[in-house]
Amino acid sequence: MSFYWVKTNSFIKTVFSKYCWDIPNNEKKIYLTFDDGPTPEITDWVLSELKKFDAKATFFCIGKNIKANLALFEKLITDGHSIGNHTMNHVNGWKIHTNEYIENVKNCAEILGEQEKAPHRLLFRPPYGKIKKAQSKILRSLGYKIVMWDVLSADFDQNITPEKCLENVTKNVKSGSVIVFHDSIKASPNLRFALPRTLHFLKENGYKFDIIH
């Protein structure tokens, strides 16, 4: 991802108003989200950090990672977090035929459905934030809420410092923000610095943590 908005432009939110970019409220609720897991050690560490602050989050999981790490996935559920679909193989919607893309999402949905303990909410986040209009239309017709973001930590960007990753969140968060981190190997160096400090900042400034429904 060579170009990205840390704070999603309001014009984009207006043009693509059928997507969920933020969840406005008067209670200073914010919505932490994590993409690409579950990943051994990293997701475990994230869960431990969240527990320290009594924080709940929404995890957009890749189907193949769920299959490979079932016990870790089940821990997400038992810890009270929300789960979303992030495709079976982290596919880019702009580079794949619509039918193949929908099939990939459905394959992930089957994995989610097999886990009886999982509160199988119809939440979907397209990998890279890239999805064609036709793909979006079909998924929404199937009942999916397509969740994007208001604030991107950019923890995946290995060209920024961990301090910048933290600043991306603390300088841009507001009540209702949907914030993106990644429980992935690539993001781990930035994540391990930024997440605990973000949680402390949010708690100190009176923000409340909620899950996406």
Side-chain angles (χ1 to χ4, degrees):
M1 188 182 287
S2 56
F3 171 80
Y4 54 85
W5 274 301
V6 167
K7 180 74 171 178
T8 302
N9 185 286
S10 58
F11 176 73
I12 294 296
K13 293 181 181 180
T14 301
V15 171
F16 297 99
S17 60
K18 292 179 180 177
Y19 300 162
C20 173
W21 298 95
D22 48 27
I23 306 173
N25 63 85
N26 298 316
E27 304 170 66
K28 290 196 79 171
K29 289 182 180 178
I30 56 89
Y31 302 84
L32 293 174
T33 67
F34 294 86
D35 289 2
D36 298 353
T39 308
E41 296 185 12
I42 298 167
T43 303
D44 273 321
W45 176 83
V46 169
L47 290 175
S48 176
E49 291 302 307
L50 292 174
K51 190 168 287 187
K52 291 177 186 177
F53 292 86
D54 193 27
K56 301 303 179 189
T58 302
F59 288 79
F60 288 90
C61 297
I62 297 173
K64 68 176 183 179
N65 288 347
I66 297 172
K67 285 186 74 173
N69 304 287
L70 281 176
L72 185 52
F73 176 74
E74 289 174 4
K75 195 169 190 303
L76 294 175
I77 308 305
T78 56
D79 279 9
H81 301 290
S82 184
I83 303 298
N85 186 319
H86 201 45
T87 74
M88 190 69 186
N89 305 100
H90 203 262
V91 291
N92 183 333
W94 292 3
K95 297 181 177 180
I96 189 172
H97 189 276
T98 292
N99 289 343
E100 191 177 348
Y101 189 78
I102 300 303
E103 192 62 28
N104 201 279
V105 174
K106 287 182 176 180
N107 287 343
C108 182
E110 287 179 12
I111 301 297
L112 288 170
E114 287 172 2
Q115 310 313 311
E116 294 182 4
K117 296 178 183 177
H120 186 211
R121 301 181 180 93
L122 290 175
L123 303 176
F124 177 74
R125 174 173 284 157
Y128 314 102
K130 295 179 178 180
I131 184 170
K132 296 174 186 173
K133 184 177 180 180
Q135 295 163 350
S136 165
K137 186 176 180 180
I138 292 170
L139 290 177
R140 286 185 289 108
S141 75
L142 295 172
Y144 280 95
K145 176 190 286 189
I146 298 178
V147 182
M148 294 299 201
W149 56 83
D150 176 50
V151 178
L152 195 63
S153 70
D155 52 358
F156 58 84
D157 189 343
Q158 296 172 314
N159 293 314
I160 68 168
T161 65
E163 290 81 6
K164 176 59 176 171
C165 179
L166 172 62
E167 182 181 293
N168 285 343
V169 180
T170 59
K171 298 290 187 184
N172 291 291
V173 66
K174 65 176 183 179
S175 179
S177 287
V178 174
I179 303 166
V180 181
F181 285 102
H182 294 77
D183 52 334
S184 67
I185 293 171
K186 181 180 179 181
S188 180
N190 284 335
L191 178 70
R192 288 182 183 273
F193 178 89
L195 181 60
R197 291 164 176 81
T198 295
L199 290 166
H200 183 266
F201 172 87
L202 294 171
K203 199 83 167 182
E204 284 289 298
N205 286 275
Y207 287 100
K208 301 173 184 176
F209 304 98
D210 204 357
I211 59 174
I212 301 174
H213 297 281

